[in-house]
Amino acid sequence: EQYGNSLTIILTNAWEVTAGSNITVTFDLVSPLQSSLESNFIDGTLTGWTAKTGTWTNLNGVIQSATTGTVQLSKDNLTGMNYSYEADIKLNAGTSAGALTVGGNDENSNNYFVSLDSENGQIKLYKNTPDQQLSNSLFAITPNVWYHLKVVTNGLNIKIYINNEISPAIDYNSESDFAGNFGLNVYKGTAQFDNVKILVEPSLALNDNSLLA
């Protein structure tokens, strides 16, 4: 039975329950698939995003940052555990890396970086607390060319796709999940981001469990 945002399942004659008794389990139904789509950033602003470090601009409908170190832009008011996160990324000549960041907290601790590393010709997955590379895949990156990067998480698994290929470039199982925030990162150079899309799966939260005679 479903009433508004609640779903009630009644199990009759369940194992180790006296015949004629019912178990009622009520779940809260979380809102359908949350989504954040910033298509082309055509409003000319950074609305919905916060610069944690560095200077970020909306340049003719794309998000851009230039740095000699590392800079971070975070998506406001959206977190997830199981999700897909994708964007177009372009690295200017001489840029070391541009990345999608996932997981961690609002202080950019325990984040995972899914990076296009032009300096080493790789797609990389690494974690910043502690700083460690977890996996990589060789991939030649040409300056000033748009690439489509997509991240899909499910529990302790993360898959990373490039340019909408069917098979992931990286398929990695972690000891911890990828729950947390979403962001963009540039390392030593200039990178642009466009067509950012985040889809977070809904979940069922246990609300009540009672035995009815």
Side-chain angles (χ1 to χ4, degrees):
E1 297 175 314
Q2 182 173 345
Y3 301 97
N5 290 326
S6 293
L7 174 67
T8 299
I9 301 173
I10 300 176
L11 305 178
T12 303
N13 297 335
W15 181 60
E16 291 188 350
V17 176
T18 304
S21 298
N22 297 329
I23 293 178
T24 299
V25 181
T26 301
F27 296 90
D28 287 335
L29 297 183
V30 179
S31 59
L33 204 63
Q34 301 178 61
S35 65
S36 175
L37 173 61
E38 305 284 347
S39 179
N40 296 319
F41 297 97
I42 56 175
D43 63 357
T45 73
L46 296 178
T47 300
W49 297 82
T50 298
K52 296 298 182 179
T53 54
T55 300
W56 294 79
T57 59
N58 185 320
L59 181 66
N60 299 321
V62 298
I63 287 182
Q64 175 177 292
S65 189
T67 180
T68 57
T70 182
V71 292
Q72 177 80 13
L73 184 74
S74 294
K75 184 72 182 77
D76 297 335
N77 303 317
L78 185 62
T79 61
M81 177 178 290
N82 298 326
Y83 49 79
S84 66
Y85 178 26
E86 57 192 293
D88 296 331
I89 303 177
K90 181 171 68 174
L91 306 181
N92 289 14
T95 300
S96 291
L100 306 181
T101 66
V102 299
N105 56 43
D106 203 39
E107 301 302 320
N108 297 322
S109 178
N110 293 314
N111 299 86
Y112 293 87
F113 289 69
V114 178
S115 173
L116 291 183
D117 182 348
S118 63
E119 186 174 0
N120 297 296
Q122 296 178 344
I123 301 169
K124 294 199 307 187
L125 172 66
Y126 66 96
K127 191 176 183 181
N128 71 341
T129 310
D131 191 11
Q132 57 180 320
Q133 181 172 301
L134 303 176
S135 185
N136 68 80
S137 177
L138 294 177
F139 184 77
I141 299 167
T142 303
N144 301 311
V145 172
W146 285 102
Y147 296 96
H148 188 77
L149 193 60
K150 183 175 182 178
V151 178
V152 179
T153 67
N154 183 15
L156 303 181
N157 179 262
I158 186 169
K159 292 180 174 63
I160 300 168
Y161 298 86
I162 187 70
N163 291 342
N164 296 310
E165 292 184 359
I166 297 176
S167 298
I170 292 176
D171 187 342
Y172 180 81
N173 292 312
S174 175
E175 295 180 355
S176 58
D177 62 44
F178 298 90
N181 298 295
F182 303 95
L184 306 173
N185 181 273
V186 181
Y187 178 65
K188 290 185 178 180
T190 302
Q192 296 179 335
F193 301 85
D194 200 3
N195 299 315
V196 176
K197 185 176 183 181
I198 304 168
L199 296 175
V200 180
E201 289 186 6
S203 61
L204 290 174
L206 186 62
N207 181 52
D208 180 59
N209 188 350
S210 59
L211 180 64
L212 304 181

